[in-house]
Amino acid sequence: MQQAYYQRSPYNLVRIILGLPELFDAERNESVYTRAARDFRAWREQGILIQEKSPCIFAYSQRFTVPGTTQVKERRGFIALGKLHDYGDQVVFRHEQTLSKPKSDRLNLLNATRAHFGQIFMLYSDPAASVEQILFDGAGAPDSEVTDEYGVLHRVWRVSDPAVIRLVVTEMADRKLIIADGHHRYETALAYAREHPPASLPPIESSVGQLPHPAYPEAAVMMTFVNMDSEGLAILPTHRVVHSLEGFDAEQFTRAAEAYFTVEKLPEGAAGRYIGILRNQAGTAFVALTRGGALLLKPKLDAVARALQHLPERQRQLDLSQLHTIVLERLLGLDPEKIREQTNIRYLRDANEALEQVLDGDADIAFLTNPVTMEQLKEVAFAGDVMPQKSTDFYPKLLSGLVIYALD
């Protein structure tokens, strides 16, 4: 995708947010980050990117077919600046652990460009859908629209009427937020704000008749706010592929797994068939793929409860908690640091690709999982707990570059 975007246009945003390292001149001390900053500055000077003349928020709609089904959904939200909060403030809640490498990359890009090019995907609760009604009822033709390579139709409406913006701000004032996607970006923005406090804060102006604004530019980040009570949400599973293990033996793994799980050998078939079997399980379950065949693993409740006794009850019931703590750590010997650094593990949306990597010898074993439900996510996040990293895959992704927040 990176290569395709490069070829599509000299002004494709991939050149800023994910530059190709081989195009940069090490002798001139150039890096993907310094080149990104240079391109971003040039695009602004040339009028490729244009500054809005008045404060705006942006209504954002995504119409899509849920992968693996014929179901068509529309997810609606809006893009605006959101104040950065420490998790301890209990305004913004995370739901999963983060990985080290993506945060380092995003921080380097932010340091170089002083701009946010993508949005944090935030969930808020609004059973009455009041915010959506304000923004979408009677909406005319969008200001821009594009269909991506997955067939998702993205549409954006510019909203600059101060009265409408105030209505939205009022409705959102006391909402708590869960990060659906963008934990790494959020924590990067938070770290950057701490590293760049203002020399002195400007005097607080009267808010009467004024639109709210950040105390200083680094104190906010772009967010797309989506109603978690909407029917337009879709969460997909993220499968685990484990590779480069020393002396991995499928039969030995099976015997070890039987201490915690009932292990059922599945007939040979395509990945889609295994996903279908998973969907029909009443409780926790996952499928292990090895070159010797596929296995359905279902927990032995007493054994799993003992192994996970250090976790809260709500976490013990999660497929991924059992998979990470018992299987990856205890049975396969991947300590949390290896998992965090992705030393021996890859995360894939496509179950077919996971199976192919095992059969081709590019992986030792892969695990197919069911998706986390919205109820599970809410329960864990609002309790202040976290799931293992890459627990959720909200589909579709938000497009980067629809709106850019430049700090300078």
Side-chain angles (χ1 to χ4, degrees):
M1 290 173 69
Q2 182 189 40
Q3 292 280 0
Y5 290 150
Y6 253 86
Q7 295 166 13
R8 191 168 295 175
S9 167
Y11 303 112
N12 192 285
L13 194 71
V14 74
R15 295 169 182 267
I16 290 177
I17 63 173
L18 193 66
L20 286 167
E22 59 264 32
L23 299 183
F24 304 110
D25 189 347
E27 292 183 5
R28 290 167 50 190
N29 200 28
E30 190 177 61
S31 72
V32 290
Y33 307 110
T34 57
R35 180 62 181 268
R38 193 173 78 187
D39 281 350
F40 182 49
R41 184 169 56 251
W43 294 0
R44 296 175 78 181
E45 292 170 353
Q46 296 165 17
I48 304 301
L49 299 172
I50 299 173
Q51 183 76 38
E52 290 287 350
K53 293 182 173 60
S54 58
C56 303
I57 62 176
F58 299 84
Y60 180 20
S61 160
Q62 296 168 284
R63 185 172 295 165
F64 61 98
T65 301
V66 179
T69 76
T70 58
Q71 185 180 16
V72 176
K73 291 191 174 192
E74 182 171 3
R75 189 171 72 195
R76 291 177 166 186
F78 68 96
I79 305 169
L81 290 185
K83 181 181 176 182
L84 288 161
H85 284 272
D86 287 315
Y87 294 134
D89 295 342
Q90 295 196 316
V91 174
V92 173
F93 294 80
R94 58 181 177 163
H95 76 266
E96 64 184 20
Q97 299 278 13
T98 51
L99 304 166
S100 303
K101 292 177 185 176
K103 281 193 284 190
S104 172
D105 174 60
R106 294 301 89 184
L107 187 57
N108 288 336
L109 183 64
L110 183 54
N111 270 313
T113 61
R114 295 264 304 155
H116 295 283
F117 301 95
Q119 317 111 50
I120 315 296
F121 185 170
M122 289 293 193
L123 298 170
Y124 67 96
S125 181
D126 182 13
S130 51
V131 175
E132 290 173 60
Q133 290 171 26
I134 293 169
L135 291 172
F136 289 94
D137 283 5
D143 291 288
S144 62
E145 68 177 44
V146 63
T147 300
D148 67 23
E149 54 266 75
Y150 299 103
V152 180
L153 174 63
H154 303 257
R155 296 185 295 170
V156 177
W157 292 260
R158 181 187 290 104
V159 180
S160 58
D161 183 340
V164 175
I165 297 176
R166 286 191 202 100
L167 278 175
V168 173
V169 169
T170 300
E171 285 287 344
M172 294 294 297
D174 60 350
R175 311 279 184 183
K176 295 187 181 299
L177 305 174
I178 296 177
I179 302 174
D181 201 1
H183 288 77
H184 298 95
R185 294 184 188 190
Y186 187 83
E187 292 176 15
T188 297
L190 197 56
Y192 191 80
R194 291 187 186 122
E195 293 170 6
H196 296 79
S200 61
L201 288 174
I204 298 175
E205 302 171 4
S206 169
S207 61
V208 178
Q210 300 289 328
L211 291 176
H213 57 274
Y216 57 101
E218 293 86 354
V221 69
M222 274 198 308
M223 301 177 182
T224 291
F225 300 87
V226 174
N227 181 8
M228 70 176 72
D229 303 307
S230 166
E231 293 295 321
L233 285 169
I235 306 177
L236 305 181
T238 300
H239 309 300
R240 272 69 175 149
V241 177
V242 181
H243 60 90
S244 307
L245 296 174
E246 289 187 15
F248 174 77
D249 183 277
E251 291 186 4
Q252 185 178 342
F253 168 80
T254 302
R255 289 193 297 271
E258 286 174 343
Y260 304 95
F261 305 93
T262 59
V263 180
E264 177 187 343
K265 189 170 180 60
L266 297 176
E268 188 174 335
R273 181 177 181 182
Y274 300 141
I275 291 294
I277 291 171
L278 270 181
R279 285 177 181 157
N280 290 326
Q281 300 304 310
T284 303
F286 40 87
V287 170
L289 304 175
T290 72
R291 284 188 286 281
L295 307 169
L296 176 66
L297 276 63
K298 300 177 70 173
K300 294 178 178 177
L301 299 182
D302 290 344
V304 166
R306 284 193 298 271
L308 302 181
Q309 59 184 332
H310 61 290
L311 294 179
E313 176 62 28
R314 56 186 159 268
Q315 293 252 42
R316 295 178 208 164
Q317 308 303 319
L318 296 176
D319 305 49
L320 292 179
S321 293
Q322 297 177 16
L323 177 57
H324 272 247
T325 304
I326 298 175
V327 178
L328 298 184
E329 295 181 21
R330 187 169 295 194
L331 301 183
L332 296 179
L334 301 184
D335 60 48
E337 184 65 20
K338 286 182 178 177
I339 295 173
R340 193 160 44 247
E341 296 294 335
Q342 301 183 70
T343 306
N344 298 89
I345 190 167
R346 292 188 285 264
Y347 301 91
L348 296 178
R349 173 188 292 169
D350 190 334
N352 290 304
E353 187 178 352
L355 178 58
E356 285 173 9
Q357 290 192 11
V358 172
L359 296 179
D360 291 345
D362 295 327
D364 298 303
I365 188 169
F367 299 94
L368 307 183
T369 66
N370 277 320
V372 171
T373 67
M374 182 59 68
E375 285 305 313
Q376 288 174 325
L377 185 148
K378 286 195 291 187
E379 187 177 355
V380 169
F382 285 141
D385 295 334
V386 289
M387 300 177 186
Q389 50 268 49
K390 297 289 184 183
S391 291
T392 55
D393 179 4
F394 281 87
Y395 184 86
K397 295 294 186 184
L398 306 175
L399 286 188
S400 293
L402 292 174
V403 186
I404 295 169
Y405 176 40
L407 302 179
D408 297 322

